[in-house]
Amino acid sequence: MTDMTSSARPILNRRLAEFGTTIFAEMSALAVKTGAINLGQGFPDTDGPEEIREAAVRALREGRGNQYPPGPGIPELRTAIAAHQLRRYGLSYDPDTEVLVTAGATEAIAAALLALLEPGDEVIAFEPYYDSYAASIAMAGGIRVPVTLRPQSEQGASFRLDLDELRAAVTDRTRLLLINTPHNPTGTVLTRAELTAIAELAVERDLLVVTDEVYEHLVFDDTEHLPLASFPGMRERTVTIGSAGKTFSFTGWKVGWVTGTQKLVTAVRTVKQFLTYVSAGPFQYAVAEALRLPDVYFDTFRADHRRKRDLLGDGLRAAGFEVYQPQGTYFITTDITPLGEKDALAFCRTLPERCGVVAIPNSVFYDDPDAGRSQVRFAFCKKDDVLHEAADRLQRLAA
Ligand code: PMP
Ligand code: GLN
C-alpha cells in the first residue's frame, strides 16, 4: 500500500490549507501549560444560572433528550426561541418551519454558508473576523471579501464600518453579506443608520445575509442591539444566528440556533442534518427554560458585564494599553504600540511568561495581518477578582 502521507499531494484539502490550529485552542493550551490567567478564549469563569443547570440535570435524569432529539431541535426549544425573537424584537417566526436548533452558533455559521453558497461566490465579511467565518466560507468554496473596521482617529474611540467601502466591495459575484453585531473582536455595535444602509444595499443588490448576533444581550451604555432581520426587506433574505453559550454562560453545551424564512431555514437544515443531525438533547430542554427567564436575568447579565468592561478597561489603560471602548460583546481590543510593542502574535505568545496573562492577537483575524499587527484582545467575562489580578499583573509589564 502506498504511504499516503509521503505523496506529493497534501493530506488536507487545499480549501483548508491556510487553516492550522485556531488561535483560541493555541492560547487556551498556553494558559493551561503556564497557569496564566486566561483572558484569551471567550468563555465565562462562572457558569450560568443554577436553575438552568438543574433543568439540564432533570432532563437527563428523566430521560428527556438522552436519545436523538428531533432533527430541527426539540419543539419546546424552537417555541422558546420564536417567543424570544417576538418578545425582544417583535420578529415573528413559526417554530415548526422557521427555527432550527444547531450545535452552537459555529455549526449554524457553517451550515448556513454551505447551504447558501456555490463555489466561487463572494462573501463580504467585516475584518477583523471571527475565525470560523473564514474557514466556513472556505469549506463552502466561497471567496471572502473583507471590509475592514477601523478605529476612529481619536484616542479611545471604537471601531467603525465605512459604508462606502462596504458598497464598493459588492460585485456581480457577491452572494452574501456575513454580518456580526455586536462584533467580535472589536465590540462594535452597528447603529440603526448603519443597519439601514446595509439593509438597503442588500435589497438593492439582491444579496442574502447571514447575521451572527450571538452577543445580542451584551450591549452597554445607551447602545441597543437591533436585529438586521427587523429592517425593511430583510426578513426574507436574512438568516439570524444566536447562541445559548453566550447568552446563558454555558459555552460547553453547544446549543445555538437559526431563525429565518422557511426557505432559508430549510436550506440550512438540509446541511445541518448531515453535519451533526442534532445537538445534545438534555441541554435543549434546559435552554428552552433559560430563554423564558424574566427580564431581570438579562438586565443583570448586561449590567455585570458593563461593570467588568469598565474594570478591565481601566486596568488596561493604567497598564499603558490603548483601549478601544467596546459597546458590546465581552471583549476589549487594545493596541500595544504605547507599550513599545509592535507584534501582537509575538506579544501574546510571551505574555504568559512575562506576566501570567493570556490574550488573543487580533492580527490573525485579518487577511492583511499588517492591519491588525499591534492589536490584542482581552476577554472580561471573568470574576472581578480575576480581572483585578490580571490588571495588576499587566501593570507590572511596563515597570
Ligand atoms: N460567533 C461569534 C461572533 C463568536 O464569538 C462565537 C464564539 N464564541 C461563536 C459565533 C460561536 O458560538 P458557539 O460557541 O455557540 O458555537
Ligand atoms: N468565540 C470565542 C472567542 O472569540 C471562542 C470560541 C472558540 O474557541 N471557537 O473567544
Side-chain angles (χ1 to χ4, degrees), residues 22-25 28 39-43 106 130-132 184-185 214-215 246 251 254 330-331 360 365 377 379 381:
T22 92
I23 196 70
F24 305 114
S28 279
L39 303 188
Q41 193 176 30
F43 62 89
T106 307
Y130 179 53
D131 66 347
S132 91
N184 177 10
V214 299
Y215 298 102
K246 305 296 166 186
T251 60
K254 297 301 295 186
Y330 42 50
F331 304 114
I360 297 287
F365 304 139
R377 187 195 83 176
C381 44

Side-chain angles (χ1 to χ4, degrees), residues 230-307:
S230 65
F231 285 72
M234 294 309 282
R235 191 185 187 282
E236 61 261 40
R237 61 181 71 246
T238 302
V239 171
T240 303
I241 295 173
S243 170
K246 305 296 166 186
T247 296
F248 303 110
S249 300
F250 290 115
T251 60
W253 288 10
K254 297 301 295 186
V255 176
W257 52 84
V258 161
T259 49
T261 60
Q262 179 168 0
K263 245 193 213 168
L264 288 167
V265 167
T266 302
V268 179
R269 194 182 64 218
T270 304
V271 175
K272 185 252 156 32
Q273 63 190 344
F274 300 115
L275 292 178
T276 54
Y277 181 53
V278 284
S279 59
F283 296 135
Q284 294 189 41
Y285 288 93
V287 173
E289 287 195 27
L291 282 162
R292 286 195 214 95
L293 285 169
D295 285 349
V296 63
Y297 166 77
F298 297 93
D299 295 345
T300 309
F301 182 63
R302 188 196 282 222
D304 281 349
H305 283 85
R306 191 216 136 119
R307 191 190 63 250

